[in-house]
Amino acid sequence: MRPVTVLYTGGTIGMRPGPDGLGPDAAFEGAFRAAVTARDFHWLETPHLLDSSAMGPQDWQTIADLSRDISGGLVILHGTDTMAYTAAALSFLLHDLRAPVVLTGAQIPMQSEGSDAIANAELALDVAVRSPRAEVMIAFGGALLRGNRAIKCHAQNPEAFCSPNFPALNGAEPVQFAHPFTGRQISPVGVLKLYPGIGAEALGGFAHLPGLVVEAFGSGNMPGEGTSFHVALMLARRRGQEIVVVTQTGGGQVAARTYAAGASVAQLGLIPGGDLTTPAAVAKLGWLLAQGMRGNDLADAMARPVAGEMS
Ligand code: ASN
């Protein structure tokens, strides 16, 4: 049996009620050890236990840096809100994995009535100990998903994660990814969801960021030539902002050549994100930007799968 480390980063799984609502419990290790059947694992914590809605690229790097020093399987206890972002980021930041990296958490704290935490923790520990898969995964609600294919698709249900463009891993053959780049940093990237009537002003708040993921309508459609939004995108591109387009539908892919309304993608040098989920697009773009990649090199790298994140 391979050795396992549990890395606690915060999230509902370890929370307890406080004056302002649920918050991370700094003494969760004892409760966790008492609740799960596995007896022999190392316990680690990140310096700040967080609700994952407060996490960002710096936290992904901290988790990656701690993970690199671990041999054997790794279970990461994490909040569900941004678990898919962290999982996608880790799939790029961790190279040449030899053992499973499994993120899990809960919708209801382990120490509360009706919690899903123990079942999730048991699944994650089992995968970390036994699975031949050396990749970043999310184990949640009975499902084992590729980390960079998952999205949080329900705010309360115990089956909180979906993998809209890739089947669950249960039963599939293990694969080994060979990363063509080995960057260990990740830059912040914005996300702009298009809405009917969107105009130039929507882009203003993102001007300071080197990268932006645009969640376009349907298969990559957006207001085109003659609209203020189109002009604003053009100006953002002139300033050197790199823009990746994904679909806001929650499944499927950008096929921007289908409609005239998708023509902006090619006209403005936007990067089609294929069937990347938003979290995977944010993580991949941030990771490539942090390596200094821009222009055609960036577009080429975005189009090629690195860790199974796109078809
Ligand atoms: N707000 C929590 C978090 O993401 C939600 C959860 O873990 N279920 O940390």
Side-chain angles (χ1 to χ4, degrees):
M1 279 216 311
R2 85 162 64 85
V4 167
T5 300
V6 175
L7 171 61
Y8 174 43
T9 71
T12 295
I13 188 165
M15 287 187 185
R16 285 173 76 96
D20 303 325
L22 291 173
D25 175 12
F28 180 51
E29 179 182 358
F32 185 88
R33 285 192 182 275
V36 298
T37 46
R39 284 287 157 260
D40 194 19
F41 50 83
H42 302 284
W43 180 268
L44 264 183
E45 295 182 6
T46 44
H48 307 286
L49 300 173
L50 293 170
D51 187 299
S52 75
S53 58
M55 283 187 175
Q58 204 61 52
D59 301 296
W60 306 338
Q61 278 177 209
T62 301
I63 294 171
D65 291 343
L66 287 168
S67 303
R68 265 186 222 105
D69 294 334
I70 290 163
S71 61
L74 176 60
V75 171
I76 301 176
L77 306 180
H78 195 289
T80 57
D81 287 343
T82 64
M83 188 185 290
Y85 287 86
T86 303
L90 292 177
S91 80
F92 301 117
L93 291 169
L94 300 176
H95 322 121
D96 304 321
L97 284 177
R98 301 278 146 86
V101 174
V102 197
L103 290 96
T104 196
Q107 292 282 43
I108 299 172
M110 191 175 262
Q111 299 170 86
S112 300
E113 197 71 27
S115 174
D116 52 337
I118 295 175
N120 288 345
E122 295 286 13
L123 175 61
L125 284 163
D126 187 61
V127 172
V129 169
R130 264 184 256 280
S131 173
R133 286 173 209 293
E135 61 171 301
V136 179
M137 295 165 273
I138 289 181
F140 209 98
L144 183 65
L145 307 176
R146 178 162 292 161
N148 56 29
R149 293 290 199 151
I151 52 172
K152 185 174 181 183
C153 59
H154 204 286
Q156 286 86 28
N157 274 358
E159 289 85 26
F161 288 88
C162 307
S163 180
N165 292 331
F166 195 75
L169 293 172
N170 318 51
E173 281 295 305
V175 287
Q176 187 74 45
F177 301 116
H179 285 45
F181 318 109
T182 54
R184 293 181 171 200
Q185 258 104 50
I186 199 155
S187 300
V189 160
V191 178
L192 172 60
K193 181 171 185 160
L194 264 58
Y195 51 89
I198 192 168
E201 69 288 346
L203 276 158
F206 299 98
H208 63 294
L209 293 167
L212 179 64
V213 171
V214 169
E215 284 194 347
F217 299 121
S219 54
N221 304 314
M222 59 186 79
E225 268 183 297
T227 66
S228 73
F229 182 69
H230 186 87
V231 172
L233 277 179
M234 191 172 67
L235 295 176
R237 291 289 300 132
R238 281 203 197 137
R239 281 198 312 273
Q241 192 169 51
E242 300 288 359
I243 301 174
V244 171
V245 181
V246 298
T247 174
Q248 66 174 241
T249 60
Q253 60 182 305
V254 167
R257 286 180 211 284
T258 311
Y259 297 96
S264 298
V265 176
Q267 274 169 5
L268 299 176
L270 314 184
I271 302 170
D275 66 350
L276 286 173
T277 61
T278 296
V282 165
K284 188 175 184 182
L285 179 59
W287 178 65
L288 294 172
L289 286 171
Q291 301 180 51
M293 224 174 265
R294 299 288 186 278
N296 288 338
D297 290 348
L298 177 74
D300 288 349
M302 281 301 300
R304 262 181 288 137
V306 169
E309 75 280 6
M310 66 200 302
S311 303

